[in-house]
Amino acid sequence: MRRAERDAGFLSFLKGTTTLIGAAGFLCSSAFAATHHKAAHRPHARTTGASSVPMKGAPSPVRGHPSDIAARDNEAVSVHISRHHHEAGGGVMKIETAPHNVQTISKTYIAMQSPTSTVLDLVKLSPALNAVNADSSGMQGGRIEIRSLTDLDMGLMLNGAPTTNANYLNETASSEDVESVTITPGSSSVDLPTANAAAGVLDERTHTPLAKAGGMMDFSYGTNNMSRQFIRLESGEIGHTGIRNYISYAHTHSRSWMGAGINEQHHVDYGLQKNWANGSQNNFFLSWNKEDFVIDVYPTAAQFYNYKHTGDGYGRYAEYDKSRPDAGNYWRNNIDHWNQIFLSAPQHIVITRHVNLDITPYYNMGRGWDGSSGGKAEAGQYYRYDGTAVAAGQQLTSYYHQNNASAVGVTAKLGIDLDKHNHFIIGYWYENNYSVFGLPTSITMDNGRNPSPNWQSNMAFTKAADGRLFPARPSIDGGYEIHSLFIGDTAKYLDNKLTVDAGFKFVMANQWYKFSTPAGAYSHLGQNPTAPLPHLSIAYRFNQHHQIYVNGEGDFRLPDPTAMALSASGQLQKNQYTIKEEIGYRYNGDIVIADLSFFNSAITNRLQSTYLGNNQSGVINVGNQTARGFDLQVGTHSWHHWSPFFGFEYLDAHADSNAPYGDTYLRTKGRRAVMAPRVSASFNLAYDDSHFFGNFGLKYIGPQKTTLVGDERMPGFVSDSISVGYHFKPFSFLKSPTFRLNFANLTSAIVRQVPKGIGTNVYPTQLMDGTTIAGGNGATYYVMPRFNMSGTISTDF
């Protein structure tokens, strides 16, 4: 506040020149565009919840020298505009004008981070999020906490198409190919292909193919024997076709940071764009990811404190000793072997000047398996395929064997400019989410390694009463099909100062869950829910600096098909429904930008994750819940090369009902909700003088409950990171040789970051019917990886 007062005189001085400089930049840009008739047209599209574009007529801020205009002669004009003029806080905040809270991470910040950074690393400074990773090498995913909800309550998007949960977000795009990440906490656009956005939307946008041929490459090395190589090749525009594309490849190798084990990842991204003279545009993005990594042990509080106080780790064993009772904890018996393919193809078709059509087909498919210890066989429990009994004490391996996990869908949206004030949309969204997986048991190899679950020689069989052998392989077929219609209108009045965005989405779903065994056991459950989802957002911009906005909407969530564990009553979990409201104020100044938003959410039939082991989670209903609070974010544009950022959130979340437990209830009404830290704060300080650059990031997450009855608590913690680097002058074909160092967990703190799965209770607890249940293990946790660093050399060419 004091800084704003000090700058008042300076801002007043600039006020008169802002319009003149902005107008001059606009005129010169127009002249430049006129001499280059073949420049690509920007498609006319309505602002969605996943991205925000400055309102028409809103001038760009002026800081320092946003544009330099040099008249070389009577016919040549050179215009240089900083690509950072809409950014603040070193790329962790942008000027926004959307009628809801928006938090955008731009390429400026992304380029300072380690190439091993996942999307969760990139958004960790957002005040609304507690985003954590399981490791420091970027080969495993993690989890998001947001306003007492999780990433399973978010629409996770890549180029406008749904991807997967945070546990696998690292598999969709290399960090070098991510241009920006936008978070809209608690809100979503009506035309996005998601219904489960109670916590909002996280949308990644990938690299746009360049018009000129070239490429980029980097090499990284760091702690835990981490090495990473990346290369991207650009075709440039092919002839005069308007077609440009790129392909990239990344390879990562590292040791597990806790316990023994080797992890390896191969990743390919491919992007293509075709521009048309009338503004139409065809886009295509494809990624393929293959990795083998050691499945982490997620400790209970007792295991964590034993590690913290004694140094005895809880990870996997480095050697196989079959005489040990827990011999199956050998790292080669706990491998995740996975292949993932993601495809999205947004098509923008300009039909007339006032009518356009957007079609976005997408496909997401994963296949592989997770192995873990299946204990040791008992006499007569299992048989080999030839009928030979498996010896008592033989080590076994249990699997989560994903034969197919796919989501295929499409959105089609027709946009019409009804008049100069109203842009109307009508559209349809279809998705088929299908998952077929088995839970087989195999005989562990003699060297302790888990075999492929498809190898018949290692399969474990059970024997029926009539002597027939059946594979010990129950299978599950789960999924849902969604049909959704949506309409919306964006109206702008009062010289575009007033924006009203209203929409309605109606979701119709068919959900199923089938369980079967080779011996013939079978069960089938299903339901056909529907949900009306209204959306309304209003924003009023008083002038180029001040704006207020309100937002309200409904959201709906189906349980994930791979997590549809049956409740004690033998029924599917109830679907979650959320009503949300938000009101905010935004200041877009010439030096400082700020956003303050107050939110309230009423959640019915809250779905909560529980960790089942073997890298898989189930889901349960925990009753109704209310969450309210506010978010504040403040940042500055670059001032003498420095750009600070500060974010803060206050959250009050509590249970409104008792949580179901069998035929009775746990006493949870009125208690603070799990995974709902009351306070979180973040800070970032960035520096960039075009040669030296760096940033320092700090995040505090307050204490939180981790069991439903509130008898286990996770203390607050601090995470930190530093990036430093130097851009060298171009040399030969090396256009931007750069060296950087990235450090994380500078104090090597041993802390828990977020629950992997919540617990019911730790101590004996009395239920509502008067009975008492025994104490449990409580929650399991992600633990912050110890101090780690990486060094990277990179260049464009």
Side-chain angles (χ1 to χ4, degrees):
M1 193 67 176
R2 283 194 291 261
R3 183 187 195 99
E5 293 170 356
R6 283 200 311 268
D7 293 336
F10 179 65
L11 296 180
S12 177
F13 173 77
L14 285 179
K15 185 175 181 180
T17 59
T18 298
T19 305
L20 293 175
I21 296 176
F26 174 79
L27 291 173
C28 292
S29 297
S30 300
F32 181 81
T35 62
H36 292 76
H37 181 68
K38 294 183 179 180
H41 296 272
R42 180 177 299 277
H44 173 75
R46 186 176 71 88
T47 298
T48 69
S51 62
S52 179
V53 179
M55 290 181 180
K56 182 179 179 181
S60 301
V62 178
R63 337 182 304 282
H65 303 280
S67 61
D68 297 314
I69 305 173
R72 302 178 188 275
D73 53 48
N74 292 333
E75 298 180 354
V77 177
S78 175
V79 180
H80 304 283
I81 301 176
S82 169
R83 67 186 180 93
H84 308 305
H85 68 291
H86 284 302
E87 300 175 359
V92 297
M93 192 175 179
K94 282 180 61 179
I95 290 179
E96 307 286 358
T97 56
H100 47 249
N101 190 350
V102 184
Q103 301 169 8
T104 300
I105 312 300
S106 68
K107 193 65 178 181
T108 302
Y109 178 81
I110 295 171
M112 292 188 188
Q113 307 311 302
S114 170
T116 62
S117 298
T118 69
V119 176
L120 302 180
D121 291 306
L122 301 178
V123 301
K124 63 186 177 182
L125 294 178
S126 170
L129 301 181
N130 177 21
V132 303
N133 269 321
D135 70 332
S136 58
S137 62
M139 279 186 280
Q140 296 190 52
R143 196 161 201 200
I144 295 174
E145 284 181 335
I146 174 169
R147 296 181 177 178
S148 80
L149 300 169
T150 71
D151 51 274
L152 298 176
D153 301 288
M154 297 185 74
L156 302 179
M157 303 284 154
L158 180 61
N159 295 331
T163 55
T164 181
N165 62 46
N167 205 35
Y168 305 103
L169 265 182
N170 60 303
E171 300 176 357
T172 53
S174 294
S175 64
E176 293 93 340
D177 293 330
V178 176
E179 286 295 313
S180 67
V181 186
T182 301
I183 308 110
T184 55
S187 64
S188 66
S189 176
V190 71
D191 58 343
L192 283 177
T194 182
N196 60 320
V201 172
L202 184 153
D203 188 20
E204 297 178 67
R205 294 289 166 168
T206 56
H207 174 72
T208 300
L210 300 180
K212 187 175 181 181
M216 180 237 179
M217 60 183 176
D218 63 46
F219 172 78
S220 303
Y221 186 80
T223 50
N224 302 315
N225 199 29
M226 187 280 296
S227 63
R228 187 178 188 277
Q229 308 86 39
F230 172 88
I231 185 169
R232 181 173 66 229
L233 301 176
E234 305 264 5
S235 70
E237 184 172 355
I238 301 174
H240 297 288
T241 63
I243 298 174
R244 58 183 76 170
N245 64 170
Y246 72 88
I247 188 168
S248 68
Y249 169 74
H251 170 257
T252 311
H253 175 280
S254 77
R255 289 188 288 105
S256 297
W257 77 270
M258 168 60 70
I262 301 297
N263 308 300
E264 188 166 23
Q265 179 187 46
H266 300 269
H267 186 93
V268 174
D269 289 335
Y270 173 76
L272 179 146
Q273 185 178 96
K274 158 69 175 173
N275 297 318
W276 299 83
N278 70 341
S280 296
Q281 190 176 89
N282 308 120
N283 289 277
F284 179 86
F285 177 81
L286 173 69
S287 70
W288 169 75
N289 189 86
K290 178 184 181 296
E291 61 185 287
D292 291 272
F293 64 84
V294 180
I295 298 173
D296 285 342
V297 177
Y298 297 99
T300 63
Q303 291 172 316
F304 166 77
Y305 280 117
N306 180 65
Y307 164 62
K308 184 171 185 176
H309 296 149
T310 69
D312 293 335
Y314 49 82
R316 305 299 182 184
Y317 297 147
E319 303 292 339
Y320 178 60
D321 183 355
K322 62 182 178 181
S323 65
R324 302 181 66 150
D326 57 348
N329 196 40
Y330 173 52
W331 72 270
R332 292 185 182 275
N333 194 40
N334 295 268
I335 295 292
D336 181 298
H337 173 76
W338 195 255
N339 280 273
Q340 186 82 21
I341 292 175
F342 175 84
L343 181 153
S344 68
Q347 312 298 308
H348 180 72
I349 303 167
V350 177
I351 300 174
T352 72
R353 181 179 177 184
H354 299 292
V355 180
N356 56 74
L357 176 66
D358 289 278
I359 301 175
T360 304
Y362 58 89
Y363 177 69
N364 195 354
M365 190 275 287
R367 177 174 292 179
W369 65 77
D370 297 338
S372 66
S373 175
K376 296 191 176 183
E378 299 177 2
Q381 182 182 12
Y382 293 112
Y383 297 83
R384 296 181 182 269
Y385 74 101
D386 60 2
T388 305
V390 175
Q394 169 66 49
Q395 181 65 46
L396 303 171
T397 299
S398 294
Y399 292 93
Y400 177 91
H401 185 196
Q402 188 78 66
N403 298 301
N404 178 54
S406 63
V408 58
V410 63
T411 58
K413 178 182 67 174
L414 183 68
I416 305 171
D417 292 328
L418 299 179
D419 53 35
K420 65 179 182 179
H421 299 294
N422 291 272
H423 182 73
F424 175 78
I425 63 167
I426 183 169
Y428 169 72
W429 166 43
Y430 171 79
E431 179 175 300
N432 185 293
N433 193 305
Y434 183 58
S435 183
V436 179
F437 59 97
L439 303 172
T441 299
S442 291
I443 301 164
T444 308
M445 299 172 68
D446 291 339
N447 60 5
R449 189 169 189 167
N450 57 17
S452 166
N454 297 314
W455 292 354
Q456 188 182 56
S457 59
N458 288 83
M459 289 182 183
F461 291 78
T462 58
K463 181 179 288 188
D466 60 4
R468 290 182 298 164
L469 294 176
F470 298 96
R473 182 186 288 263
S475 62
I476 295 169
D477 175 345
Y480 57 82
E481 189 175 53
I482 286 180
H483 297 268
S484 177
L485 299 172
F486 59 85
I487 59 173
D489 183 77
T490 300
K492 295 186 177 183
Y493 294 96
L494 304 178
D495 195 24
N496 291 334
K497 292 182 178 180
L498 175 66
T499 301
V500 180
D501 195 344
F504 181 81
K505 179 186 291 185
F506 188 73
V507 177
M508 300 161 284
N510 172 31
Q511 187 181 23
W512 68 89
Y513 183 93
K514 301 175 183 178
F515 177 87
S516 61
T517 67
Y522 179 80
S523 63
H524 179 201
L525 295 170
Q527 58 182 343
N528 297 97
T530 61
L533 307 177
H535 291 241
L536 177 63
S537 300
I538 303 173
Y540 183 76
R541 179 170 53 87
F542 296 93
N543 53 43
Q544 62 178 333
H545 295 308
H546 304 280
Q547 182 187 35
I548 59 172
Y549 57 87
V550 295
N551 178 59
E553 63 184 76
D555 282 288
F556 168 73
R557 174 185 164 190
L558 288 166
D560 186 274
T562 63
M564 288 162 50
L566 303 182
S567 66
S569 62
Q571 300 296 317
L572 294 174
Q573 291 79 17
K574 297 177 182 179
N575 298 303
Q576 178 179 294
Y577 195 88
T578 306
I579 297 293
K580 304 167 299 182
E581 304 91 22
E582 179 182 47
I583 182 169
Y585 164 76
R586 183 177 287 132
Y587 175 75
N588 290 330
D590 297 329
I591 294 180
V592 177
I593 65 175
D595 194 310
L596 174 65
S597 63
F598 296 85
F599 59 86
N600 179 76
S601 301
I603 308 165
T604 304
N605 299 320
R606 170 80 171 97
L607 290 168
Q608 188 65 262
S609 295
T610 58
Y611 187 58
L612 305 176
N614 201 19
N615 218 28
Q616 300 304 315
S617 296
V619 65
I620 59 174
N621 284 120
V622 297
N624 302 334
Q625 183 175 308
T626 296
R628 55 175 59 100
F630 68 86
D631 284 344
L632 171 66
Q633 49 180 343
V634 181
T636 75
H637 300 296
S638 181
W639 184 74
H640 294 286
H641 312 303
W642 294 94
S643 304
F645 167 83
F646 173 74
F648 180 84
E649 179 177 273
Y650 173 81
L651 173 65
D652 178 23
H654 57 271
D656 296 330
S657 63
N658 293 308
Y661 189 90
D663 295 327
T664 182
Y665 297 88
L666 292 164
R667 299 177 186 272
T668 57
K669 185 176 181 179
R671 296 183 185 272
R672 184 160 184 80
V674 294
M675 300 180 66
R678 190 178 297 273
V679 172
S680 60
S682 53
F683 173 76
N684 188 63
L685 181 62
Y687 178 87
D688 189 350
D689 66 2
S690 77
H691 288 293
F692 285 103
F693 65 89
N695 73 346
F696 170 68
L698 195 68
K699 186 71 178 272
Y700 170 75
I701 301 294
Q704 56 188 286
K705 301 291 186 181
T706 58
T707 57
L708 289 178
V709 299
D711 59 356
E712 185 168 280
R713 173 181 177 273
M714 193 185 90
F717 69 95
V718 174
S719 60
D720 48 35
S721 63
I722 289 180
S723 303
V724 293
Y726 188 82
H727 296 298
F728 295 91
K729 293 181 179 180
F731 175 75
S732 183
F733 69 95
L734 305 178
K735 296 180 179 178
S736 59
T738 302
F739 174 72
R740 68 181 181 270
L741 294 172
N742 298 94
F743 306 85
N745 194 2
L746 305 176
T747 60
S748 203
I750 301 176
V751 297
R752 291 169 285 174
Q753 301 181 96
V754 69
K756 172 69 172 177
I758 64 165
T760 302
N761 61 300
V762 174
Y763 304 105
T765 300
Q766 188 179 62
L767 303 174
M768 291 296 292
D769 64 0
T771 60
T772 300
I773 58 174
N777 292 324
T780 52
Y781 297 91
Y782 286 95
V783 175
M784 185 185 297
R786 59 177 171 260
F787 168 80
N788 57 88
M789 66 169 291
S790 64
T792 302
I793 54 175
S794 64
T795 187
D796 294 331
F797 56 86

